[in-house]
Amino acid sequence: MVLIQNFKIGGVIVNFQEIDLLKADLNPFKMVGKDWCLITAGNEQGFNTMTASWGGFGVMWNKNVVTIVIRPQRKTLEFIDESGYFTLSFFEEKHRETLKFCGSHSGRDVDKVEVCGLTPFFLDGTTTFEQASKVIVCKKLFAQKIDPKSFIEKSLLSNYPNEDYHIAFVGEIIKAVEVI
Ligand SMILES: Cc1cc2nc3c(=O)[nH]c(=O)nc-3n(C[C@H](O)[C@H](O)[C@H](O)COP(=O)(O)O)c2cc1C
Protein backbone atom coordinates (compact mmCIF):
# COMPACT_ATOMS: atom_id res chain seq x y z
CA MET A 1 0.00 0.00 0.00
CA VAL A 2 1.32 3.42 -0.94
CA LEU A 3 0.71 6.26 1.46
CA ILE A 4 -0.64 9.13 -0.61
CA GLN A 5 -1.07 12.07 1.67
CA ASN A 6 -1.11 13.33 5.20
CA PHE A 7 -3.27 16.33 5.93
CA LYS A 8 -5.16 17.85 8.80
CA ILE A 9 -8.91 17.86 9.35
CA GLY A 10 -9.87 19.74 12.49
CA GLY A 11 -6.39 19.31 13.86
CA VAL A 12 -6.31 15.55 13.20
CA ILE A 13 -3.83 14.20 10.67
CA VAL A 14 -5.56 11.95 8.14
CA ASN A 15 -3.71 9.43 6.02
CA PHE A 16 -4.98 8.42 2.61
CA GLN A 17 -3.63 5.24 1.08
CA GLU A 18 -4.12 3.69 -2.32
CA ILE A 19 -6.80 1.06 -2.67
CA ASP A 20 -5.79 -2.17 -4.39
CA LEU A 21 -8.78 -2.57 -6.73
CA LEU A 22 -8.34 -6.33 -7.01
CA LYS A 23 -8.45 -6.81 -3.24
CA ALA A 24 -10.74 -4.01 -2.12
CA ASP A 25 -14.26 -4.46 -0.90
CA LEU A 26 -15.89 -1.97 -3.31
CA ASN A 27 -19.57 -2.71 -3.72
CA PRO A 28 -21.05 -0.28 -6.27
CA PHE A 29 -24.61 -1.28 -5.44
CA LYS A 30 -24.06 0.00 -1.90
CA MET A 31 -21.47 2.71 -2.48
CA VAL A 32 -23.26 4.39 -5.38
CA GLY A 33 -26.84 3.19 -5.11
CA LYS A 34 -27.35 3.44 -1.35
CA ASP A 35 -24.59 5.55 0.14
CA TRP A 36 -24.37 7.94 -2.86
CA CYS A 37 -21.32 9.95 -3.86
CA LEU A 38 -20.23 13.37 -5.01
CA ILE A 39 -19.13 13.82 -8.60
CA THR A 40 -16.68 16.70 -8.73
CA ALA A 41 -14.79 18.31 -11.59
CA GLY A 42 -12.62 21.37 -11.92
CA ASN A 43 -9.56 22.62 -10.08
CA GLU A 44 -8.20 25.48 -7.95
CA GLN A 45 -9.47 27.95 -10.55
CA GLY A 46 -13.04 26.69 -10.20
CA PHE A 47 -14.93 23.47 -9.63
CA ASN A 48 -18.40 22.14 -8.93
CA THR A 49 -19.84 19.12 -7.20
CA MET A 50 -23.14 17.23 -7.25
CA THR A 51 -24.61 14.12 -5.69
CA ALA A 52 -25.04 10.95 -7.75
CA SER A 53 -26.65 7.60 -7.05
CA TRP A 54 -26.58 6.15 -10.55
CA GLY A 55 -23.43 4.71 -12.08
CA GLY A 56 -21.06 1.85 -11.55
CA PHE A 57 -17.58 0.39 -11.60
CA GLY A 58 -16.18 -2.34 -13.81
CA VAL A 59 -13.89 -3.11 -16.70
CA MET A 60 -14.11 -1.71 -20.24
CA TRP A 61 -11.59 -1.64 -23.05
CA ASN A 62 -9.29 -3.58 -20.67
CA LYS A 63 -9.31 -0.67 -18.24
CA ASN A 64 -10.76 -0.29 -14.76
CA VAL A 65 -13.53 2.24 -15.23
CA VAL A 66 -16.45 4.04 -13.66
CA THR A 67 -19.59 5.03 -15.51
CA ILE A 68 -21.59 8.10 -14.50
CA VAL A 69 -24.61 9.80 -16.03
CA ILE A 70 -25.23 13.53 -15.86
CA ARG A 71 -28.26 15.46 -17.04
CA PRO A 72 -27.58 18.40 -19.36
CA GLN A 73 -28.81 21.08 -16.97
CA ARG A 74 -26.28 20.26 -14.21
CA LYS A 75 -23.67 22.92 -13.56
CA THR A 76 -21.23 20.11 -12.80
CA LEU A 77 -21.53 19.02 -16.44
CA GLU A 78 -19.85 22.25 -17.57
CA PHE A 79 -16.81 21.41 -15.44
CA ILE A 80 -16.75 17.79 -16.55
CA ASP A 81 -16.94 18.89 -20.18
CA GLU A 82 -14.00 21.25 -19.69
CA SER A 83 -11.88 18.84 -17.62
CA GLY A 84 -9.87 15.78 -18.49
CA TYR A 85 -10.49 14.33 -15.02
CA PHE A 86 -13.22 14.06 -12.40
CA THR A 87 -13.57 12.42 -8.99
CA LEU A 88 -16.11 10.29 -7.21
CA SER A 89 -15.99 11.01 -3.47
CA PHE A 90 -17.59 8.70 -0.92
CA PHE A 91 -18.50 9.68 2.64
CA GLU A 92 -19.47 8.16 5.95
CA GLU A 93 -23.15 8.18 6.88
CA LYS A 94 -22.69 11.25 9.11
CA HIS A 95 -22.30 13.32 5.91
CA ARG A 96 -25.70 12.28 4.50
CA GLU A 97 -27.12 15.83 4.89
CA THR A 98 -24.24 17.16 2.77
CA LEU A 99 -25.07 14.67 0.05
CA LYS A 100 -28.75 15.59 0.22
CA PHE A 101 -27.89 19.28 -0.04
CA CYS A 102 -25.49 18.84 -2.94
CA GLY A 103 -28.14 16.76 -4.70
CA SER A 104 -30.91 19.32 -4.32
CA HIS A 105 -29.11 22.64 -4.90
CA SER A 106 -27.26 23.83 -7.94
CA GLY A 107 -23.90 25.52 -7.86
CA ARG A 108 -25.60 28.12 -10.07
CA ASP A 109 -27.60 29.32 -7.06
CA VAL A 110 -25.55 28.58 -3.96
CA ASP A 111 -21.99 27.90 -2.82
CA LYS A 112 -22.53 24.27 -1.77
CA VAL A 113 -18.99 23.86 -0.48
CA GLU A 114 -19.36 26.80 1.88
CA VAL A 115 -22.87 25.88 3.06
CA CYS A 116 -21.87 22.25 3.72
CA GLY A 117 -18.51 23.13 5.26
CA LEU A 118 -16.65 20.97 2.75
CA THR A 119 -12.89 21.47 2.41
CA PRO A 120 -11.69 21.11 -1.18
CA PHE A 121 -8.63 18.98 -1.74
CA PHE A 122 -6.90 19.29 -5.10
CA LEU A 123 -5.11 16.31 -6.60
CA ASP A 124 -4.15 15.21 -10.10
CA GLY A 125 -5.56 18.40 -11.57
CA THR A 126 -9.01 17.74 -10.18
CA THR A 127 -10.87 18.15 -6.89
CA THR A 128 -12.19 16.11 -3.99
CA PHE A 129 -12.89 16.92 -0.35
CA GLU A 130 -10.96 16.29 2.85
CA GLN A 131 -14.10 14.88 4.47
CA ALA A 132 -14.32 11.98 1.98
CA SER A 133 -13.55 8.48 3.20
CA LYS A 134 -12.85 7.07 -0.28
CA VAL A 135 -11.96 8.87 -3.50
CA ILE A 136 -11.79 7.58 -7.05
CA VAL A 137 -9.92 9.79 -9.52
CA CYS A 138 -10.98 9.25 -13.13
CA LYS A 139 -9.66 10.22 -16.52
CA LYS A 140 -12.42 10.85 -19.04
CA LEU A 141 -12.38 8.26 -21.79
CA PHE A 142 -15.80 8.41 -23.40
CA ALA A 143 -18.94 10.53 -23.44
CA GLN A 144 -22.23 9.90 -25.17
CA LYS A 145 -25.67 11.42 -24.81
CA ILE A 146 -28.34 8.85 -24.12
CA ASP A 147 -30.40 8.45 -27.26
CA PRO A 148 -34.09 7.79 -26.51
CA LYS A 149 -34.26 5.63 -29.64
CA SER A 150 -31.78 3.22 -28.04
CA PHE A 151 -34.12 2.17 -25.26
CA ILE A 152 -35.29 -1.39 -25.77
CA GLU A 153 -37.31 -1.22 -22.54
CA LYS A 154 -39.47 1.77 -23.47
CA SER A 155 -40.94 2.17 -19.98
CA LEU A 156 -37.56 3.59 -18.89
CA LEU A 157 -38.34 6.70 -20.93
CA SER A 158 -40.54 7.73 -18.00
CA ASN A 159 -37.26 8.81 -16.36
CA TYR A 160 -37.18 11.63 -18.90
CA PRO A 161 -40.51 13.53 -18.84
CA ASN A 162 -38.53 16.65 -19.84
CA GLU A 163 -36.45 14.82 -22.45
CA ASP A 164 -33.31 15.80 -20.53
CA TYR A 165 -31.41 12.68 -21.48
CA HIS A 166 -28.26 12.03 -19.49
CA ILE A 167 -24.80 12.29 -20.90
CA ALA A 168 -23.01 9.07 -19.98
CA PHE A 169 -19.30 9.25 -19.19
CA VAL A 170 -16.86 6.40 -18.85
CA GLY A 171 -13.77 7.35 -16.84
CA GLU A 172 -10.63 5.31 -16.31
CA ILE A 173 -9.80 4.86 -12.64
CA ILE A 174 -6.31 6.33 -12.36
CA LYS A 175 -6.25 6.41 -8.57
CA ALA A 176 -8.42 5.11 -5.75
CA VAL A 177 -7.64 6.10 -2.18
CA GLU A 178 -9.19 5.64 1.23
CA VAL A 179 -8.70 7.16 4.63
CA ILE A 180 -6.84 4.91 7.05
C1 LIG B 1 -29.48 10.81 -4.27
C2 LIG B 1 -29.32 11.67 -5.50
C3 LIG B 1 -28.75 11.13 -6.65
C4 LIG B 1 -28.60 11.89 -7.81
N1 LIG B 1 -28.01 11.32 -8.91
C5 LIG B 1 -27.85 12.06 -10.02
C6 LIG B 1 -27.21 11.50 -11.17
O1 LIG B 1 -26.73 10.35 -11.18
N2 LIG B 1 -27.13 12.28 -12.29
C7 LIG B 1 -27.61 13.57 -12.32
O2 LIG B 1 -27.49 14.24 -13.36
N3 LIG B 1 -28.18 14.12 -11.24
C8 LIG B 1 -28.30 13.42 -10.09
N4 LIG B 1 -28.85 13.97 -8.98
C9 LIG B 1 -29.28 15.38 -9.02
C10 LIG B 1 -28.12 16.38 -8.86
O3 LIG B 1 -27.26 16.00 -7.81
C11 LIG B 1 -28.72 17.77 -8.55
O4 LIG B 1 -29.55 18.17 -9.60
C12 LIG B 1 -27.69 18.82 -8.22
O5 LIG B 1 -28.38 19.90 -7.62
C13 LIG B 1 -26.94 19.30 -9.44
O6 LIG B 1 -26.06 20.33 -9.02
P1 LIG B 1 -25.27 21.27 -10.03
O7 LIG B 1 -26.29 22.00 -10.88
O8 LIG B 1 -24.52 22.21 -9.11
O9 LIG B 1 -24.37 20.40 -10.84
C14 LIG B 1 -29.02 13.23 -7.81
C15 LIG B 1 -29.60 13.79 -6.66
C16 LIG B 1 -29.74 13.03 -5.52
C17 LIG B 1 -30.33 13.64 -4.27
Side-chain angles (χ1 to χ4, degrees):
M1 285 290 178
V2 182
L3 193 63
I4 295 289
Q5 195 77 42
N6 294 354
F7 55 87
K8 282 188 173 179
I9 298 176
V12 179
I13 290 182
V14 173
N15 295 320
F16 265 58
Q17 73 177 10
E18 282 211 51
I19 299 171
D20 181 339
L21 293 175
L22 288 179
K23 293 186 185 152
D25 182 16
L26 297 176
N27 179 340
F29 305 104
K30 180 172 188 306
M31 287 175 66
V32 180
K34 299 293 179 210
D35 297 345
W36 312 340
C37 64
L38 289 182
I39 300 173
T40 309
N43 54 30
E44 290 96 328
Q45 274 71 56
F47 65 89
N48 202 63
T49 192
M50 59 165 258
T51 303
S53 63
W54 290 3
F57 322 143
V59 179
M60 190 70 195
W61 307 301
N62 292 327
K63 295 177 185 294
N64 296 326
V65 298
V66 305
T67 302
I68 56 171
V69 290
I70 305 197
R71 293 192 195 252
Q73 64 269 39
R74 307 302 185 226
K75 183 173 183 189
T76 305
L77 180 62
E78 296 172 15
F79 288 86
I80 295 209
D81 279 342
E82 287 167 13
S83 309
Y85 295 83
F86 62 88
T87 61
L88 302 189
S89 305
F90 300 87
F91 296 83
E92 292 175 1
E93 183 59 29
K94 66 184 178 189
H95 295 293
R96 179 71 69 178
E97 289 306 314
T98 291
L99 290 165
K100 285 183 184 169
F101 191 88
C102 293
S104 55
H105 295 79
S106 176
R108 297 183 206 288
D109 309 318
V110 63
D111 185 339
K112 293 189 257 193
V113 168
E114 188 182 339
V115 170
C116 296
L118 288 166
T119 312
F121 180 70
F122 303 105
L123 78 171
D124 299 319
T126 186
T127 307
T128 180
F129 301 101
E130 292 189 3
Q131 288 82 3
S133 55
K134 287 189 177 69
V135 182
I136 298 178
V137 182
C138 302
K139 177 185 172 194
K140 271 191 321 184
L141 296 181
F142 178 88
Q144 189 167 55
K145 187 156 190 163
I146 286 179
D147 181 347
K149 292 197 288 295
S150 297
F151 279 98
I152 295 158
E153 176 50 61
K154 301 294 181 200
S155 67
L156 293 174
L157 288 165
S158 65
N159 286 289
Y160 302 98
N162 300 317
E163 300 185 1
D164 54 345
Y165 303 104
H166 290 98
I167 294 90
F169 291 90
V170 178
E172 179 180 5
I173 299 175
I174 59 157
K175 187 178 284 172
V177 297
E178 62 187 343
V179 170
I180 52 170

